[in-house]
Amino acid sequence: MKKLLIAVTTALTMSAANAEEPDAAAGEALYADSCAQCHGPEGKGMASFPSVAGRDSDYIASRLEQYRDGEKVGSNSGLMIPNAADLSDEDIANLATYISSEFQ
Amino acid sequence: MSPRFATRSAYGIVTLAMITGLSTAAFSSTDTPDLSQETLLSGLEDPWDMAFLPDGTMFFTEKCLGLSVRDADGDVNHLLGMEDSDGYASTADDLMCSGQAGMNGVAIDPDFDDNRYVYVYSASNMSSPITNRVLRLTVNEDFTEVSDRTDIVDDIPFKPEATDHPFGDAGAHNGGRIRFGPEDGYLYVPTGDNHNSELPQSPDSLGGKVLRIDRAGEAAEDNDPPAGFDPRIYTYGHRNVQGLTFHPETNQPIVTEHGPWHSDEVNALVNGGNSGWDPRPNMSGRGDCPDNYCGYEPNQNEGMSPKERAAYMPLTDTTVYPNAMTPAWQNNGLSQGINGTDFLTGEQWRGWDGRMAIGFMGIGFGDTAVGQRINLIDLHETGEAVNDVAEMHVPMGPARFRSLVQGPDGNLYAAVDEGNIYRIIPE
């Protein structure tokens, strides 16, 4: 019983920590897998795809939430809406943290 | 290896090919070179195209910056800048970029040694509305400056404002690759449809066409478009052609063409031919379309079966245009950002000698894989089919492959949107 209590407490603590502190490394992995092909390895944008450099985390998160909700924002919405559809709140927080801290 | 063994081995391959119905070319693709790479230039801003002199001197464009040249020792001179650019020997403030448009293709005159001419395709706001132009420039002896700008074409349409389409910003579907035909010496100029459904089949507009002109911008004498068409038009009914090369044996021009959420195409061009693109609304079973352009319909913002799309809005509409040029290849029905292309020639490429390299920038829409890669097409001799399609696994990995050019040293050069130009070396 004591072991179970410790396990639950640990899990809750970890969960709370995760919710409070986005994981930039996880954001980096997700960015490389799903974003860099258009926004570029340094976030500067490529071709007609916009730069994400210099954006703060609130901006990135709110845009991704809009796309996840199916809202059209700009001419690349057709690409962004399906890309954002399956993102969790945690994914968005991780991406926003990574992009805003890495691409100044 | 003894000659006898070699003979028997070759016989075995031919026999097997006959039995299975495959060409020997398909087997030769197993004899492929190892590849190494060198980064020729990095930190570039949207490098768009390259053109080489025999000694390895390379002219290159950056979409929003301008024209530069890298000499065989690696030194770079910035020759002609666009508006808001710095560090160029001269600047032309009318040259501007917007979305997909800007300074695109570059080509060197076949008689460069005598006339020092180099050509670029660029958007310009010198006239209103904005157009794309083909500029002829004279390069000085030490490759530090260009002068005597002459706009040999000034009326290629440019998309002036945003519309309700994917990639719908101003400057979209802008074409822009330019190349001289190795046999006829004419300049071929592919253009785009600007998301304007009237352009591809229009006899007057230069949008959605491949032009064929001389170094003064005059129509090639034997261009054979339908009666009433602008005589500079070589082929028409295109959507957005951004890859152009010539068959190494027949010299036939061959283009790559972006598909409408399906079916990127490779087309071997026939003088006067129609590529069969006609995205006008209220025809061929289609109703109204967003901003009068059906070029991504149906469901332009949502993923669906590429086959269903192809039935509704074909890139080559053989129902309406039964004499349309037959595509050699349609990328297995997918659209993934097909772009620059060139033939690999020379024994250094081993089983890939004679294959057409095609770069893909990648588009991840719906359930279609992004698809950033270089394909190697073994084109059928008719130009209307392929014998085999392989993939070149390049050392740098996936990237937005914008321009591919085989250099005078026999290596393949690749410009990627990430900002690099690579030399890919077969060994």
Side-chain angles (χ1 to χ4, degrees):
Chain A
M1 184 63 190
K2 189 176 178 183
K3 278 184 182 173
L4 179 62
L5 187 63
I6 290 170
V8 169
T9 306
T10 304
L12 284 171
T13 305
M14 287 177 65
S15 173
N18 284 343
E20 289 170 7
E21 294 179 23
D23 184 346
E28 180 177 10
L30 191 51
Y31 183 87
D33 189 49
S34 301
C35 314
Q37 293 91 343
C38 296
H39 293 289
E42 297 168 12
K44 293 190 297 186
M46 294 188 291
S48 53
F49 300 113
S51 169
V52 292
R55 300 291 191 180
D56 63 34
S57 60
D58 287 347
Y59 176 92
I60 298 293
S62 66
R63 275 285 185 274
L64 287 172
E65 286 165 3
Q66 284 176 296
Y67 287 128
R68 185 175 62 179
D69 292 343
E71 190 176 331
K72 286 184 69 174
V73 186
S75 64
N76 292 319
S77 300
L79 291 169
M80 282 305 300
I81 289 169
N83 265 306
D86 296 330
L87 293 178
S88 65
D89 288 347
E90 190 178 354
D91 291 334
I92 288 177
N94 293 345
L95 278 170
T97 295
Y98 172 70
I99 291 169
S100 61
S101 61
E102 186 70 19
F103 306 136
Q104 298 295 324
Chain B
M1 182 186 294
S2 71
R4 183 180 174 190
F5 181 83
T7 304
R8 289 177 64 182
S9 177
Y11 174 78
I13 289 172
V14 171
T15 305
L16 187 57
M18 290 172 66
I19 291 169
T20 59
L22 292 172
S23 73
T24 51
F27 285 91
S28 68
S29 68
T30 59
D31 174 29
T32 59
D34 292 330
L35 301 175
S36 63
Q37 81 180 42
E38 296 170 356
T39 304
L40 213 62
L41 293 169
S42 59
L44 304 177
E45 196 172 305
D46 285 321
W48 215 93
D49 202 13
M50 307 86 81
F52 289 87
L53 287 169
D55 72 349
T57 298
M58 179 183 79
F59 292 90
F60 64 95
T61 56
E62 291 169 272
K63 189 185 68 178
C64 294
L65 294 179
L67 172 69
S68 301
V69 64
R70 177 192 184 276
D71 68 22
D73 296 326
D75 294 325
V76 173
N77 293 325
H78 300 299
L79 301 173
L80 179 65
M82 305 163 71
E83 64 172 354
D84 300 327
S85 66
D86 292 318
Y88 284 78
S90 59
T91 302
D93 287 335
D94 65 300
L95 303 183
M96 42 79 69
C97 72
S98 176
Q100 298 168 14
M103 190 177 286
N104 300 128
V106 57
I108 298 171
D109 195 286
D111 295 330
F112 180 84
D113 286 348
D114 296 327
N115 61 29
R116 309 288 298 180
Y117 288 160
V118 62
Y119 304 75
V120 294
Y121 180 110
S122 181
S124 161
N125 58 22
M126 186 181 291
S127 51
S128 181
I130 294 169
T131 60
N132 288 289
R133 294 169 175 244
V134 179
L135 282 56
R136 191 185 71 206
L137 306 160
T138 303
V139 185
N140 67 350
E141 284 299 320
D142 53 4
F143 292 89
T144 55
E145 295 178 348
V146 292
S147 60
D148 301 328
R149 169 180 165 180
T150 304
D151 294 5
I152 64 170
V153 184
D154 63 5
D155 54 348
I156 298 168
F158 164 94
K159 185 183 178 188
E161 56 190 33
T163 55
D164 178 18
H165 301 110
F167 311 107
D169 291 334
H173 282 199
N174 202 58
R177 198 74 59 190
I178 55 175
R179 295 285 183 267
F180 275 94
E183 183 179 42
D184 59 24
Y186 287 120
L187 185 65
Y188 290 71
V189 184
T191 70
D193 73 8
N194 297 183
H195 289 162
N196 180 340
S197 63
E198 297 294 330
L199 300 193
Q201 300 292 329
S202 161
D204 305 316
S205 171
L206 300 187
K209 311 293 192 309
V210 175
L211 316 180
R212 181 168 169 255
I213 55 177
D214 65 16
R215 59 171 60 91
E218 300 296 327
E221 283 184 6
D222 60 343
N223 282 351
D224 192 25
F229 273 52
D230 187 305
R232 293 171 291 181
I233 293 170
Y234 183 70
T235 55
Y236 64 106
H238 295 287
R239 185 171 183 270
N240 187 22
V241 173
Q242 293 202 307
L244 166 63
T245 188
F246 299 85
H247 192 283
E249 293 174 1
T250 66
N251 296 307
Q252 186 173 15
I254 301 170
V255 299
T256 64
E257 185 159 3
H258 291 285
W261 281 158
H262 68 85
S263 308
D264 290 328
E265 282 187 355
V266 172
N267 283 293
L269 301 184
V270 177
N271 191 357
N274 184 355
S275 199
W277 175 242
D278 191 352
R280 285 178 285 190
N282 300 303
M283 61 178 290
S284 270
R286 295 182 294 273
D288 292 337
C289 294
D291 286 335
N292 293 315
Y293 180 79
C294 301
Y296 298 89
E297 290 292 286
N299 301 326
Q300 66 174 16
N301 290 316
E302 294 176 26
M304 66 179 289
S305 157
K307 277 188 181 174
E308 285 183 57
R309 291 186 182 282
Y312 185 83
M313 183 67 258
L315 184 54
T316 299
D317 191 338
T318 52
T319 303
V320 179
Y321 304 106
N323 296 322
M325 294 181 287
T326 302
W329 188 59
Q330 295 185 300
N331 188 27
N332 304 316
L334 303 179
S335 174
Q336 296 172 306
I338 197 167
N339 213 299
T341 182
D342 204 359
F343 278 88
L344 305 179
T345 57
E347 293 180 355
Q348 73 278 15
W349 292 106
R350 299 166 63 172
W352 291 339
D353 182 6
R355 288 205 174 214
M356 183 181 174
I358 301 172
F360 286 83
M361 302 183 297
I363 303 174
F365 180 70
D367 293 327
T368 298
V370 175
Q372 295 179 321
R373 66 189 189 279
I374 296 174
N375 271 151
L376 299 171
I377 302 276
D378 178 11
L379 197 64
H380 190 269
E381 62 182 10
T382 59
E384 297 184 344
V386 297
N387 296 320
D388 186 53
V389 180
E391 184 171 344
M392 174 188 273
H393 294 282
V394 286
M396 85 283 284
R400 288 179 58 81
F401 293 103
R402 173 72 62 177
S403 179
L404 296 180
V405 179
Q406 179 168 281
D409 55 2
N411 297 316
L412 182 65
Y413 290 78
V416 301
D417 283 355
E418 284 79 356
N420 304 316
I421 297 179
Y422 297 104
R423 176 191 283 136
I424 300 168
I425 306 159
E427 294 172 343

